[in-house]
Amino acid sequence: MFTDVSVDKYKVLPAGEVQLGGEGAADKAIFDGGKKAGLAEMGVLLEEIKELQKVLYAEHKQRILVVVQAMDTGGKDGCVKDVFASCDPQGIHIEPFKSPTTLELAHDFLWRVHAKVPKNGHIVVFNRSHYEDIIAVRVKKLMEDAVWQRRYQHVIDFEKMLAEEGTTIIKIFLNISKDEQKERLQARLDNPAKHWKFNPDDLADRARWGDFMHAYEDLIEKTSTELAPWYVVPADRKWYRNIVVARIVIERLKQLNMQYPRIDWKVEDVTID
Amino acid sequence: MFTDVSVDKYKVLPAGEVQLGGEGAADKAIFDGGKKAGLAEMGVLLEEIKELQKVLYAEHKQRILVVVQAMDTGGKDGCVKDVFASCDPQGIHIEPFKSPTTLELAHDFLWRVHAKVPKNGHIVVFNRSHYEDIIAVRVKKLMEDAVWQRRYQHVIDFEKMLAEEGTTIIKIFLNISKDEQKERLQARLDNPAKHWKFNPDDLADRARWGDFMHAYEDLIEKTSTELAPWYVVPADRKWYRNIVVARIVIERLKQLNMQYPRIDWKVEDVTID
């Protein structure tokens, strides 16, 4: 069962300090119980999300943008699949962002993501996002430093505009430890059905683990805002990661006080022959 | 011939003061001569624009965004057609923005315009723009005041991001007088071939001329920035308006120091059998 620790424990306050990896990745402060109890609880949360999404869709006034970032094997695909499993697919869109194409690189870095933001009544989940254009560019030294340094302010301004125009923004960093990544990469190597998910280049990123952690800490500290906060979610345990993200989504959706649209006719006036 | 007054006379400095209509609409300080001489000069300017666009396209590094705003009959269509007449159509796109569709209104106001910004090597001209989402919304009271008030900062931030990512932004307001508008509207009424351009609703806007001027003055003062300045162009004389806008475009393009791409082979090594 849930403890009385709020899921806001994982929310990064503006100008808050962030430390990734290590102990945080295995934290389980909001839930008092093991995997089995956690999976059972997840069933309840999925029902809640389902109901909330129904109102969101019917009301057609709010937009929800969920941004998911993590290191390789961090669990982005699994988390997105599990947390939104009960949603009506008509109202939810998963948008994976890969390495930018030539056409995308011929535009500003927000061009391709802005095209995919949610419209009224919809949830859009970014599986990777505009944050790669800071993180990957910085760690892999793809452009000169001034470019990614300027982009902190660009994303803050962009998300502020989205939020003030009516989009709720939930930014999730799935925090796994370096040891957990090793196990997950090994599992991919050991299972031929998972070979397609293994990319030898991932090892190059793993070799720069420290650089990535430092860049992510910097990024999350600089771009967690009142209107678009980051949540650093312990992700070494997949079941725990899922209930945390589900709880975050539920709490943010509840704050919107969504309503089914009012009808402008009286039920008692309608007769069905 | 051109006087020694710079076309920067019409550029609005950040925090500069703007007064529209009246005398400014008939100014002709940068050109010493009449319509005939102006039209001849325009031929020379069109050649310059043609050459500059060739390099822009070949270099494939810079992007040019021209925003054109004006009152009805202000000359947006004609100006765009005349000033970019010599450009290779492959590298220039005119994007007219009409009243937003239902789909567009279900997104933030910058969604539809961001989708149309130029890519490397290209010029995009916005015929109307995101500025309508401030001006029309304000004067016609389409949304509550807080919405358009917040949008000043949204457009400043948006254009800053575009500029820092490599887009040159040129914002043109075609300044006509209320008397000139009357003549142009009357001309549309008098000529059956122009009836399609006349919309009785335009008269409702004309009745709010003062409100529009006030809203535009406010808008231009608040959103003219170092990176994305407004130019208030005298537009009562069409030929003069054209040479001013052409000169602005030419000067901004020249500042980019564009170069044809360097070849990585030697001309003398190539023999064509």
Side-chain angles (χ1 to χ4, degrees), chain A residues 63 103 105-111 114-115 117-120 150-151 153-154 157 161-162 164-165, chain B residues 63 103 105-111 114-115 117-120 150-151 154 157 160-162 164-165:
Chain A
R63 313 157 194 151
L103 177 63
L105 283 173
H107 289 88
D108 66 271
F109 78 112
L110 292 173
W111 178 74
H114 201 169
V117 298
K119 61 184 172 184
N120 287 346
R150 283 194 298 254
R151 288 179 176 175
Q153 194 59 46
H154 296 162
D157 294 339
M161 181 278 295
L162 288 180
E164 290 185 347
E165 288 273 312
Chain B
R63 313 158 194 150
L103 177 64
L105 282 174
H107 289 87
D108 66 89
F109 79 111
L110 292 173
W111 179 73
H114 201 168
V117 298
K119 61 183 172 185
N120 287 346
R150 284 194 299 255
R151 288 178 176 176
H154 296 161
D157 293 340
K160 174 164 171 274
M161 181 278 294
L162 289 180
E164 289 184 349
E165 289 273 312

Side-chain angles (χ1 to χ4, degrees), chain A residues 36-219:
Chain A
K36 200 172 163 188
L39 290 174
E41 197 57 57
M42 189 66 189
V44 180
L45 298 176
L46 283 174
E47 274 306 301
E48 269 195 86
I49 292 180
K50 183 177 167 180
E51 291 308 314
L52 285 163
Q53 190 221 2
K54 270 192 202 171
V55 198
L56 173 78
Y57 191 82
E59 188 195 47
H60 194 70
K61 276 188 181 168
Q62 310 278 347
R63 313 157 194 151
I64 314 296
L65 176 61
V66 182
V67 172
V68 183
Q69 288 284 153
M71 292 293 286
D72 296 317
T73 79
K76 295 184 293 295
D77 296 1
C79 178
V80 169
K81 185 167 67 68
D82 295 343
V83 170
F84 299 100
S86 62
C87 288
D88 182 341
Q90 194 158 227
I92 183 161
H93 309 278
I94 315 299
E95 294 290 348
F97 290 97
K98 309 287 182 189
S99 291
T101 63
T102 310
L103 177 63
E104 289 165 350
L105 283 173
H107 289 88
D108 66 271
F109 78 112
L110 292 173
W111 178 74
R112 65 172 185 163
V113 295
H114 201 169
K116 301 294 186 184
V117 298
K119 61 184 172 184
N120 287 346
H122 287 248
I123 301 175
V124 169
V125 183
F126 284 179
N127 183 339
R128 301 187 190 269
S129 66
H130 43 301
Y131 285 100
E132 294 290 338
D133 299 292
I134 295 177
I135 288 292
V137 166
R138 174 178 182 174
V139 177
K140 299 180 186 179
K141 302 193 188 344
L142 303 177
M143 297 178 189
E144 57 188 78
D145 289 355
V147 175
W148 60 261
Q149 283 164 354
R150 283 194 298 254
R151 288 179 176 175
Y152 288 128
Q153 194 59 46
H154 296 162
V155 302
I156 290 169
D157 294 339
F158 172 60
E159 293 174 355
K160 174 164 171 273
M161 181 278 295
L162 288 180
E164 290 185 347
E165 288 273 312
T167 302
T168 293
I169 303 174
I170 303 170
K171 300 187 293 196
I172 305 286
F173 179 77
L174 301 177
N175 182 27
I176 59 165
S177 62
K178 198 176 175 188
D179 288 347
E180 178 67 18
Q181 189 192 49
K182 187 177 184 178
E183 284 186 31
R184 293 186 187 183
L185 285 172
Q186 192 61 50
R188 288 183 182 179
L189 277 182
D190 294 345
N191 181 350
K194 285 188 173 175
H195 284 175
W196 70 276
K197 286 191 112 178
F198 188 87
N199 180 346
D201 288 351
D202 294 350
L203 297 181
D205 284 358
R206 179 169 169 79
R208 285 183 285 207
W209 183 271
D211 291 346
F212 270 104
M213 287 305 108
H214 175 65
Y216 262 119
E217 285 165 354
D218 216 23
L219 176 86

Side-chain angles (χ1 to χ4, degrees), chain B residues 183 185-192 195:
Chain B
E183 283 186 31
L185 286 172
Q186 191 61 51
R188 288 184 182 179
L189 277 183
D190 296 344
N191 181 350
H195 284 176

Side-chain angles (χ1 to χ4, degrees), chain B residues 40-150:
Chain B
E41 196 58 57
M42 188 66 189
V44 179
L45 298 176
L46 283 173
E47 275 305 301
E48 268 195 87
I49 292 181
K50 182 176 167 181
E51 291 308 314
L52 285 162
Q53 190 222 3
K54 272 192 202 171
V55 198
L56 173 78
Y57 190 83
E59 187 195 47
H60 194 69
K61 276 188 180 167
Q62 310 278 346
R63 313 158 194 150
I64 314 295
L65 175 60
V66 182
V67 172
V68 183
Q69 288 285 152
M71 293 293 285
D72 296 316
T73 77
K76 295 184 293 294
D77 297 1
C79 178
V80 169
K81 185 167 68 70
D82 294 343
V83 170
F84 299 100
S86 61
C87 289
D88 182 341
Q90 193 157 228
I92 184 162
H93 309 278
I94 315 299
E95 294 290 347
F97 290 97
K98 308 288 183 189
S99 291
T101 64
T102 310
L103 177 64
E104 289 165 350
L105 282 174
H107 289 87
D108 66 89
F109 79 111
L110 292 173
W111 179 73
R112 67 171 184 163
V113 294
H114 201 168
K116 301 294 188 184
V117 298
K119 61 183 172 185
N120 287 346
H122 287 248
I123 301 174
V124 168
V125 183
F126 284 180
N127 183 341
R128 301 187 188 269
S129 67
H130 43 301
Y131 285 101
E132 294 289 337
D133 299 292
I134 296 177
I135 288 292
V137 166
R138 175 178 182 173
V139 176
K140 299 181 187 180
K141 303 193 188 343
L142 303 178
M143 298 178 190
E144 54 188 79
D145 289 355
V147 176
W148 60 261
Q149 282 164 354
R150 284 194 299 255

